[in-house]
């Protein structure tokens, strides 16, 4: 994130205790589930938005913005704190987390390529004695949350001195790959060996961990420093043959990183999505007739990132522009940029999610619109008029949990009371869906449904069906018949498959339920037979 380089700001439970706790609240906000009163959950409201909608949050690790909250914390504290991040996401109706696992050419897993991250232990290269990435992915999936691994491809260090890195750091053993600029150290995007190394370092995590997506943010070539060009004369002399325009050469270097990484991710993990959250302005229409009606910094020129081109060429599964401005801002109006991005993605297979600036809410340095708790909700009001927008990601976690002036609560009350499935990538829509669930009505002290899949897990006779990741629970006032309507208006819960239990809310009597199994990427299987809970429970 262009704003993420500045800081903002008991024993871990066993897996069994986590799942027990989740079972109590399985009809709630996990993976877009619904929270409310009583046991924590209530009936869904009458209004229904999209049935599938990405609702995500960025969890930044660089300079200990969100998690870890400080370097060198004990492993049990780190695990407990991360579970807290996930449980807060669940409670706020989110269904995806974007976790920064390679912030500065380092790793939150035992990488054979790069050192352990200093943001875990406080000392670069120091083994924390456990595998944070394995833990994080598993904990997210137990809660029905998609886990997107967030990588920074080029940034090496928050300081400029290569000799300050651990002695065996690849950037130190290959100083010709690096460049110091603006007080930081980077891999030079114009050096092919550096690009290939960074790709393999990131791909190691993709191959070894069950991540749902690979995510880049807005850092490509660094944000320009006034009066100083990026010092890549040597790289241009060595690798710029055939290029008269250095800016075009730089854009091609970034294009290669994006296109090649897309191909590598799909080869290693075909159903993982690959997406980018760029700076929100590609070009202004004063520079390019295809640009947006803005007068702001341009990623195409300043960062050498042709974000619009990546969409047009089909290199991304989604794009999540950081539209970190209020509605009505003269130089970069959210009200103009969201429709512009919708137009760029229209007719493509690239999904459009919007990055939202929760960190600006109630910041006294920000203008009046950010002092209004309704500003973020107004952004989603506009998004609802744009069919191409299929989700939002909030920056960042600590600001989202702080909920200053109730802005996040307002957003949720206005837009996210109902549960939502994750959007299905168009390229994956034709794959096999999970099998038909079996549903049993549970009565007594904990009324609700027990859910499972008939016939041995999620597999069909040919063994090709994917296992369920979530269950979608639909409620009807009358018998839904043999062909129930599986729409957003009837969807009342999305239950993690690890839980397999739906708690019927207080006040609901004599309802019919149908359940479908949904796989990791959002493919929904055929519905179960309808089951009925009868009223009043207390009289039975």
């Amino acid at each position: 994130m262009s704003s993420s380089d500045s800081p903002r700001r008991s024993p871990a439970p066993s897996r069994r205790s986590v799942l027990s706790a989740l079972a109590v609240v399985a009809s709630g906000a996990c993976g877009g589930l619904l929270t409310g009163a009583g046991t924590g959950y209530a009936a869904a409201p009458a209004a229904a938005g999209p049935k599938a909608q990405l609702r995500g949050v960025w969890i930044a690790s660089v300079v200990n913005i969100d998690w870890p909250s400080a370097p060198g914390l004990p492993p049990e504290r780190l695990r407990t704190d991360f579970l807290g991040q996930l449980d807060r996401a669940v409670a706020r109706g989110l269904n995806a987390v974007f976790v920064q696992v390679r912030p500065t050419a380092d790793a939150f897993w035992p990488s054979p390529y790069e050192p352990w991250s200093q943001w875990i232990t406080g000392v670069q290269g120091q083994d924390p004695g456990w595998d944070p990435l394995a833990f994080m992915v598993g904990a997210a999936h137990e809660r029905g949350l998609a886990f997107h691994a967030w990588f920074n491809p080029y940034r090496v260090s928050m300081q400029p001195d290569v000799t300050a890195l651990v002695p065996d750091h690849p950037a130190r053993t290959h100083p010709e790959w690096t460049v110091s600029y603006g007080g930081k150290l980077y891999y030079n995007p114009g050096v092919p060996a550096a690009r290939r190394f960074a790709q393999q370092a990131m791909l190691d995590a993709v191959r070894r961990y069950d991540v749902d997506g690979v995510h880049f943010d807005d850092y490509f070539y660094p944000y320009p420093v006034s009066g100083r060009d990026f010092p890549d004369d040597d790289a241009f002399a060595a690798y710029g043959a055939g290029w008269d325009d250095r800016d075009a050469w730089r854009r091609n270097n970034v294009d290669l990183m994006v296109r090649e990484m897309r191909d590598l991710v799909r080869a290693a993990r075909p159903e993982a999505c690959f997406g980018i959250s760029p700076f929100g302005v590609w070009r202004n229409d004063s520079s390019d007739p295809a640009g947006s009606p803005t007068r702001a910094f341009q990623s195409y020129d300043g960062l050498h990132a042709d974000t619009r081109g990546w969409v047009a060429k089909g290199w991304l599964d989604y794009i999540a522009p950081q539209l970190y401005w209020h509605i009505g801002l003269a130089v970069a109006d959210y009200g103009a940029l969201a429709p512009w991005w919708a137009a760029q993605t229209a007719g493509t297979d690239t999904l459009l999610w919007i990055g939202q600036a929760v960190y600006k809410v109630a910041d006294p340095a920000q203008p009046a619109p950010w002092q209004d708790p309704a500003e973020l909700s107004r952004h989603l009001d506009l998004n609802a008029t744009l069919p191409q927008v299929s989700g939002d990601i909030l920056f960042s976690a600590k600001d989202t949990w702080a909920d200053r002036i109730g802005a996040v609560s307002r957003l949720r009350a206005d837009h996210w009371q109902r549960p939502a499935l994750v959007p299905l990538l168009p390229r994956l829509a034709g794959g096999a869906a999970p099998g038909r669930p079996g549903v049993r009505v549970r009565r007594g002290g904990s009324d609700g449904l027990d859910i499972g899949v008939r016939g041995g897990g999620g597999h069909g006779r040919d063994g090709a069906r994917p296992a369920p990741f979530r269950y979608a629970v639909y409620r009807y006032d009358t018998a839904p018949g043999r062909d129930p309507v599986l729409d957003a208006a009837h969807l009342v819960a999305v239950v993690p498959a690890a839980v397999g239990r739906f708690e019927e809310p207080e006040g609901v009597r004599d309802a019919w339920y149908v359940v479908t199994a949904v796989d990791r990427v959002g493919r929904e299987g055929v519905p179960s037979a309808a089951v009925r809970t009868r009223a009043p429970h207390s009289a039975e």
Side-chain angles (χ1 to χ4, degrees):
M1 306 298 109
S2 55
S3 57
S4 69
D5 282 348
S6 303
R8 308 278 178 200
R9 22 180 63 130
S10 102
S14 67
R15 183 179 186 275
R16 178 176 296 179
S17 65
V18 167
L19 295 182
S20 297
L22 283 171
V24 176
V25 296
S27 62
C30 192
L33 311 181
L34 173 67
T35 58
T39 60
Y41 300 89
K51 178 175 156 180
Q53 185 179 54
L54 192 283
R55 299 170 182 174
V57 63
W58 278 293
I59 301 176
S61 60
V62 68
V63 297
N64 301 114
I65 292 174
D66 295 313
W67 182 90
S69 59
L73 295 175
E76 290 303 305
R77 168 69 184 278
L78 289 172
R79 288 190 282 266
T80 298
D81 287 354
F82 190 76
L83 294 179
Q85 298 281 341
L86 298 182
D87 291 340
R88 293 182 188 99
V90 163
R92 285 157 180 81
L94 307 183
N95 55 23
V97 291
F98 294 74
V99 183
Q100 194 174 32
V101 298
R102 183 185 182 264
T104 47
D106 51 11
F108 275 62
W109 71 96
S111 168
Y113 294 92
E114 293 179 312
W116 282 102
S117 177
Q118 71 185 83
W119 312 115
I120 304 174
T121 62
V123 179
Q124 187 176 73
Q126 181 175 311
D127 188 339
W130 61 297
D131 188 338
L133 184 52
F135 174 81
M136 292 189 291
V137 172
H141 288 169
E142 285 179 351
R143 289 157 175 76
L145 294 167
F147 186 98
H148 296 257
W150 167 15
F151 303 90
N152 292 83
Y154 300 118
R155 185 170 59 197
V156 173
S157 177
M158 302 299 287
Q159 56 80 40
D161 183 6
V162 70
T163 65
L165 304 174
V166 291
D168 61 347
H169 195 295
R172 190 164 177 180
T173 58
H174 293 278
E176 71 278 10
W177 292 355
T178 68
V179 60
S180 174
Y181 182 72
K184 298 182 180 68
L185 193 66
Y186 299 92
Y187 283 128
N188 191 333
V191 177
R195 182 182 79 249
R196 288 191 291 268
F197 172 81
Q199 289 168 342
Q200 290 305 311
M202 294 182 283
L203 199 65
D204 179 64
V206 180
R207 290 190 178 113
R208 293 169 55 193
Y209 298 89
D210 197 15
V211 298
D212 298 284
V214 171
H215 180 78
F216 289 175
D217 59 17
D218 53 320
Y219 288 109
F220 295 100
Y221 277 82
Y223 280 83
V225 176
S226 179
R228 290 189 57 200
D229 195 17
F230 186 73
D232 58 359
D233 289 349
D234 290 346
F236 187 58
Y239 306 109
W243 294 90
D244 297 327
D245 182 340
R246 190 179 304 199
D247 287 336
W249 172 74
R250 290 171 174 172
R251 274 189 293 276
N252 183 66
N253 294 331
V254 177
D255 281 354
L256 289 171
M257 169 63 83
V258 171
R259 179 177 57 79
E260 291 170 355
M261 197 66 191
R262 186 278 310 265
D263 293 343
L264 290 166
V265 170
R266 289 191 184 175
R269 194 169 291 278
E271 294 201 338
C273 63
F274 175 57
I276 293 175
S277 59
F279 182 80
V281 175
W282 171 70
R283 299 194 91 187
N284 302 313
D285 58 8
S286 58
S287 299
D288 190 314
S292 53
T294 49
R295 297 295 179 269
F297 177 81
Q298 305 173 122
S299 66
Y300 180 90
D301 303 274
L303 306 179
H304 305 98
D306 185 10
T307 55
R308 178 176 178 266
W310 303 338
V311 171
K313 294 169 185 173
W315 292 353
L316 305 177
D317 288 314
Y318 69 87
I319 194 162
Q322 298 172 33
L323 302 191
Y324 289 174
W325 305 288
H326 62 266
I327 294 174
L329 179 66
V331 297
D333 184 354
Y334 186 96
L337 279 163
W340 184 86
W341 279 105
Q344 308 316 304
T345 55
T348 75
D349 283 345
T350 304
L351 302 183
L352 175 59
W353 306 335
I354 304 293
Q356 301 288 350
V358 181
Y359 73 95
K360 286 189 173 181
V361 172
D363 181 346
Q366 298 297 329
W370 292 109
Q371 315 308 317
D372 183 349
E375 176 64 23
L376 286 175
S377 183
R378 283 192 287 266
H379 292 193
L380 270 67
D381 287 339
L382 175 59
N383 292 358
T385 71
L386 303 169
Q388 293 79 19
V389 180
S390 59
D392 298 89
I393 313 175
L394 310 181
F395 186 80
S396 70
K398 70 184 302 182
D399 302 292
T400 301
W401 315 147
D403 193 18
R404 289 184 292 273
I405 64 175
V408 175
S409 293
R410 172 69 179 270
L411 180 154
R412 182 160 184 241
D414 291 348
H415 299 280
W416 290 352
Q417 286 196 44
R418 280 188 171 271
L421 302 176
V422 296
L424 175 61
L425 300 181
R427 68 179 177 86
L428 300 179
R436 183 193 305 272
V439 182
R440 180 176 64 85
V441 176
R442 177 175 12 89
R443 305 190 189 283
S446 178
D447 291 355
L449 310 176
D450 285 329
I451 309 166
V453 177
R454 293 177 178 149
H459 300 283
R461 292 179 181 176
D462 59 1
R465 290 192 181 278
F469 183 60
R470 306 174 178 94
Y471 294 112
V473 180
Y474 299 86
R475 186 170 63 231
Y476 307 85
D477 294 333
T478 58
R482 296 188 175 211
D483 190 19
V485 177
L486 305 177
D487 62 358
H490 292 95
L491 182 66
V492 293
V494 182
V495 180
V499 173
R501 174 175 287 194
F502 168 73
E503 305 299 333
E504 191 166 43
E506 291 284 338
V508 175
R509 296 294 185 268
D510 202 11
W512 292 83
Y513 291 93
V514 167
V515 178
T516 61
V518 184
D519 73 2
R520 287 269 297 282
V521 301
R523 289 181 292 241
E524 188 173 14
V526 296
S528 70
V531 296
R532 185 181 185 184
T533 58
R534 297 179 182 274
H537 296 331
S538 59
E540 294 180 350

